[in-house]
Amino acid sequence: MTEQGWRAERVLAGGIAAGLVMTALIGLSGWWLARPDFLPDTGPSWYVWQLPERSTLVMAGVWALYALHQVGFWALIWYGQQRVGTYAKGLHRVNAWALAFNGVFVLLHFAQTQLWYDALAQDVSIWSSQFSVIILLVWVLLMESDRRGLFFGRTVPTPGGAGVRAWARKYHGYYFAWAAVYTFWYHPMETTTGHLVGFLYMFLILLQGSLFLTRAHVNRWWTVTLELAVLFHGAIVALNSPKQLWFQFGWGFATIFVVTQMHGLGLPRWAKWLIGLAYVASAGVVVALIGVHKLAELPRVPAAEYVGVFILAALFAIGLWIARRTRRPVSVD
């Protein structure tokens, strides 16, 4: 496959701008969006933004759109791996197809929200959406651990070793595409701050997925930006929740940046120390203003993600071991 005539970095910048414009359009739609009468919030497992009564016809349409988006995106990734297979500075034709394909489904989801409102949340648990993204973040930590280490630039042995990490890198696109598309269709395009930030994040993930096999896709500053974006989304959503766990999510994800993510950016030692000191000072200010009890929240997110790395690696290792054991030997006549 030949490359298109434009550089992937320019398309990346244009895609970010398009995501911001689309997010602004969702925000403006609050002036005319016909919302249903929501049922009362019953706790952390309840998702408020859904129709009070399920419509079989509406949900059939939502699931059909989701399935077309999901299978189509997987097909484009498979085509890129099978028919292209090499990284380039410019776009392959399949990247242009992926960008257009995802763009169409972004507009379809916007129109679907205006007409039907309901999304996949009517039929599936909120935890399925949240854990799909959590596993994505853990997967990134695992597959990047060869390059940037796991703790302060140091590589830590994980179950299955380099073979598991190589497998995670090779096939990550299929899982990431599922997590992004599923989460994208889980929510209606609502206008709350949490929804707007969340949809912007999904637009960026879909953009990243569309740029597979380009140099922009593996630009370490861009990929770390995507990892850090969840910090702002998590903190903003927590600010609007009764439990007020914004410190847990904001500084929890910041901890992962200081311990792991910044060590893959090629920063000089003085810059790492400056970032680390700023992190400690900001956490100290919060604790001084609100109370020492806040410190109990700090390790929850990083502990969960680092433990998740070893669990995910172990699951992959078990799966690969089973695959090797059950693979039929090829007979030679």
Side-chain angles (χ1 to χ4, degrees), residues 18 21-22 25 65 69 100-115 184-185 189 203 206:
V21 169
M22 190 66 213
L25 177 60
L65 288 170
H69 191 180
F101 180 80
N102 282 312
V104 166
F105 277 93
V106 166
L107 294 175
L108 284 173
H109 190 16
F110 180 76
Q112 171 267 320
T113 299
Q114 307 302 311
L115 295 172
F184 174 73
W185 283 98
M189 285 190 171
F203 297 152
L206 291 172

Side-chain angles (χ1 to χ4, degrees), residues 4-12 89-91:
Q4 297 287 349
W6 50 82
R7 293 175 64 90
E9 287 81 2
R10 294 181 181 177
V11 176
L12 175 60
K89 292 182 179 180
L91 293 189

Side-chain angles (χ1 to χ4, degrees), residues 211-330:
L211 295 175
F212 55 84
L213 297 174
T214 69
R215 294 299 176 191
H217 184 80
V218 292
N219 181 292
R220 57 192 179 185
W221 287 93
W222 164 239
T223 55
V224 166
T225 299
L226 289 175
E227 289 182 273
L228 270 179
V230 74
L231 181 160
F232 301 101
H233 178 243
I236 289 171
V237 171
L239 271 171
N240 295 303
S241 68
K243 291 187 177 181
Q244 290 291 296
L245 295 176
W246 50 268
F247 183 71
Q248 173 179 307
F249 290 101
W251 273 260
F253 284 115
T255 301
I256 298 172
F257 176 73
V258 171
V259 173
T260 303
Q261 293 160 350
M262 75 174 181
H263 300 283
L265 297 174
L267 297 172
R269 182 174 295 182
W270 66 264
K272 293 180 183 180
W273 274 103
L274 188 62
I275 292 170
L277 290 172
Y279 159 80
V280 171
S282 64
V285 168
V286 172
V287 170
L289 292 175
I290 299 179
V292 179
H293 67 279
K294 274 290 179 182
L295 285 175
E297 299 177 6
L298 189 59
R300 293 174 186 172
V301 168
E305 289 213 11
Y306 289 127
V307 170
V309 169
F310 292 92
I311 294 173
L312 190 64
L315 291 173
F316 289 163
I318 292 168
L320 291 172
W321 179 82
I322 293 172
R324 287 192 297 267
R325 296 281 293 182
T326 58
R327 187 178 298 142
R328 295 180 179 180
V330 179

Side-chain angles (χ1 to χ4, degrees), residues 89-160:
K89 292 182 179 180
L91 293 189
H92 303 284
R93 280 199 291 269
V94 70
N95 297 123
W97 300 341
L99 288 164
F101 180 80
N102 282 312
V104 166
F105 277 93
V106 166
L107 294 175
L108 284 173
H109 190 16
F110 180 76
Q112 171 267 320
T113 299
Q114 307 302 311
L115 295 172
W116 305 336
Y117 190 82
D118 241 351
L120 297 184
Q122 184 68 245
D123 286 347
V124 289
S125 168
I126 181 62
W127 299 111
S128 64
S129 172
Q130 291 184 359
F131 274 95
S132 68
V133 177
I134 290 170
I135 293 171
L136 184 154
L137 296 170
V138 170
W139 196 313
V140 173
L141 291 176
L142 173 63
M143 73 179 188
E144 287 276 59
S145 61
D146 281 338
R147 183 180 66 84
R148 66 188 183 190
L150 202 57
F151 300 109
F152 301 104
R154 298 181 183 276
T155 302
V156 177
T158 52

Side-chain angles (χ1 to χ4, degrees), residues 29-46:
S29 73
W31 289 97
W32 62 80
L33 179 63
R35 294 180 180 84
D37 294 325
F38 299 127
L39 295 175
D41 193 340
T42 59
S45 297
W46 177 251

